[in-house]
Amino acid sequence: PHPSLDFPSSQHLANCHLFPREFSIVTTLKVSLVAPKVRKNEYIFSVVEEKEEEDLLIGLRFSRDGLHFLFRGRSGGVVARWVFRGIQLADDRWHTLVLAFSGHYATLTVDCNTHLELVHSKSLPSDLSVQGSRFHIGSRGRWNGLFSGLIRQLVLVLGSDATPRVCPSSNPGLAELSVPAVLLDLPQKETRSDLTLPSYESEVRVSVGLEKTCSSSVRGQLWFNPVRRALYLCDGTLWVPMLQESQRLDYVLEQQVLSTSSETYDMEVFSVQGLGLMAAMAHRSPSLGSAIYLWRDGGFHLYQKISTHGALSWRHFTMGKKIFLVVSNSRESTGKEETVEKDELSVIYRWNKKTQRFVHYQALQTHCARDWEAFRIQGHTYLAVANHRQGNTNHTIDSVVYKWDRGTQLFEPHQALRTSGAYDWEAFTVGPYHFLAVANAFDGQTTHVDSVIYVWVDGSFRLFQTIKTFCATDWEMFQIGSRVFLVVANGHQLHGNGPGRYAINSTIYELDMSSQLFLRFQDIVTYSAVDWEFFTVGEESYLVVANSFDGESHSLNSIIYRWQGYEGFVPIHRLPTIGCSDWEFFTSGEESYLIYSSATAPLSKVFRLKTH
């Protein structure tokens, strides 16, 4: 069994732990003609409990005596079986099968022609849980029972009989409901331009779903996207919008005021399979540590406490099925506040499925680490740490890129990059090129320092471009259409013992393809900005800035800007914040949210974005 042909059930049965009682299975397959005694049980697909592979929940099996649908009954390990007999599939030809199930009744339609009905004494249980299970395509998750034919499409349709969506068909054996684009021209279809189409072929077809490929085979057909509430027409290459209801941010509502144990420098919102949304918060207090919150009933609730020491940031990343969190610690674990910050250990935590908690995995030597960035290049996982300073005065030091060593199962140093008071890393790709941008904040004398963009060449990062910044605290890369942008958060202007200036421009740069450089696109006045967050609502693009200090007060407005093409980003909403240190955008269900953290008060706030 190939790893790409199995996946968690939650990936397709989102927000539901029970398998539906009414559903259809549509599959197009070809089985070679072999001796009857050779043909054994072969699984077209199965749903198996992840913890115990022997425990089959649901399966569709092909054998010499028919088609078998299996499911676990109400009595636990006892498997019930429905058998469709008398069908001839092993003839080395394509056949499209539509199986529809509802309660005690099931129907099988083969090539829009043969129609079998079954009434079974045992129906699919209404409480059949698939939580923690996996789908296996073409197998039972092991070598015994591998499917030896070809599968062209395999579709699970919930809550309805899919037969009317497939039949009638001009080519029943290859009737299409959901076929990958690469297979749409296999086999070659005959030209019918000189034929009179049957009435059902000449009718306009409307398909409904989140994704659909437009090609010459579906030219003239309509597609309705229920999320975008838009109707599209296929011109043979692209989907042309016919009718579309575009969502747009109307106003912002306060959803939750989250009291935290300490001031928070950074947040990371991520998702864990089986639990949902989580938020890791980097708390200032070394004695109280940091916390992870779980999203439930429209708000974040404390889920786990983790011992940290002057935490400045969190970063979430995954490697296959492994889930990790890495924290930037800025102080030693001494049990008391230190007047002089020393070298410290930042820590990588790994998600433990049994305990449902993050546990200590690896410690790395860092120097007042301000940020971690995780990224992948050519199948390898890397972590870049932004070392801010060593001691109280030495800001021009090495930040380090670590690489995952598959032998030691640890992150090992890969490359050192000289930085000046590094505050943030931003990894991004443009086409085949991999970039890494560092926000340099201070060199020990001035905040007028260059931030640097590196490009990956022959296994390491090399200088691509330097950009003059003023206490740069954050880079945010985003794309609008085919245009690529980088926005920097400039904190303040300071030189020597002179007065600091906090109301300064932060700048958006756009990648110019002809010069192959990021060029200044737009300046926006910010107030000691420490973070930018890009997000979209419907077809609209937005930026929100974390304004933290104007020279006198930490209580000031952070601002949401909307993209307006030639005009760039224009301010549309002003949100009162207190010492705002970070913004995160996330969605839950059909709702969109923003959450900000405060570096001067023990609170965070969640806002719900009202659209129209």
Side-chain angles (χ1 to χ4, degrees), residues 59-198:
L60 182 61
R61 191 177 71 192
F62 172 77
S63 69
R64 58 176 175 260
D65 64 340
L67 199 65
H68 305 247
F69 178 76
L70 304 95
F71 60 92
R72 188 168 68 179
R74 296 183 182 276
S75 55
V78 179
V79 174
R81 181 174 60 172
W82 294 16
V83 184
F84 298 88
R85 303 184 189 277
I87 56 174
Q88 301 298 321
L89 299 179
D91 56 5
D92 207 26
R93 295 181 180 179
W94 287 106
H95 296 284
T96 296
L97 314 179
V98 183
L99 292 95
F101 297 87
S102 178
H104 293 271
Y105 300 91
T107 61
L108 168 65
T109 304
V110 181
D111 297 337
C112 296
N113 186 10
T114 306
H115 187 80
L116 299 176
E117 294 186 6
L118 283 182
V119 180
H120 204 281
S121 59
K122 295 182 179 179
S123 65
L124 197 71
S126 59
D127 57 351
L128 181 58
S129 174
V130 292
Q131 188 172 8
S133 66
R134 298 186 69 83
F135 273 80
H136 295 276
I137 307 302
S139 78
R140 247 198 83 169
R142 55 192 187 206
W143 284 103
N144 185 24
L146 285 180
F147 185 72
S148 61
L150 299 176
I151 298 179
R152 194 165 187 255
Q153 70 173 337
L154 180 60
V155 189
L156 175 63
V157 183
L158 306 183
S160 65
D161 183 354
T163 308
R165 297 175 59 178
V166 178
C167 303
S169 171
S170 60
N171 191 351
L174 286 170
E176 297 170 0
L177 182 61
S178 177
V179 178
V182 71
L183 298 178
L184 285 174
D185 59 346
L186 297 176
Q188 186 68 36
K189 296 182 179 181
E190 63 179 289
T191 303
R192 301 185 58 187
S193 57
D194 57 340
L195 301 176
T196 302
L197 295 177

Side-chain angles (χ1 to χ4, degrees), residues 278-293:
M278 305 187 90
M281 298 195 178
H283 293 330
R284 175 183 178 182
S285 171
S287 59
L288 297 175
S290 294
I292 298 174
Y293 295 83

Side-chain angles (χ1 to χ4, degrees), residues 316-328:
H316 161 266
F317 64 98
T318 60
M319 286 190 293
K321 299 177 183 179
K322 302 173 184 176
I323 303 172
F324 295 91
L325 274 178
V326 57
V327 66
S328 301

Side-chain angles (χ1 to χ4, degrees), residues 441-493:
F442 189 59
D443 64 2
Q445 296 294 323
T446 180
T447 61
H448 298 208
V449 293
D450 288 339
S451 290
V452 183
I453 304 172
Y454 299 92
V455 64
W456 183 265
V457 179
D458 296 332
S460 63
F461 285 104
R462 298 184 184 179
L463 177 67
F464 176 77
Q465 183 181 353
T466 60
I467 296 178
K468 179 66 72 176
T469 53
F470 305 93
C471 189
T473 56
D474 180 57
W475 282 108
E476 177 87 348
M477 178 268 186
F478 58 93
Q479 289 185 250
I480 299 177
S482 61
R483 302 171 69 177
V484 178
F485 297 90
L486 266 178
V487 57
V488 65
N490 283 321
H492 64 276
Q493 291 182 353

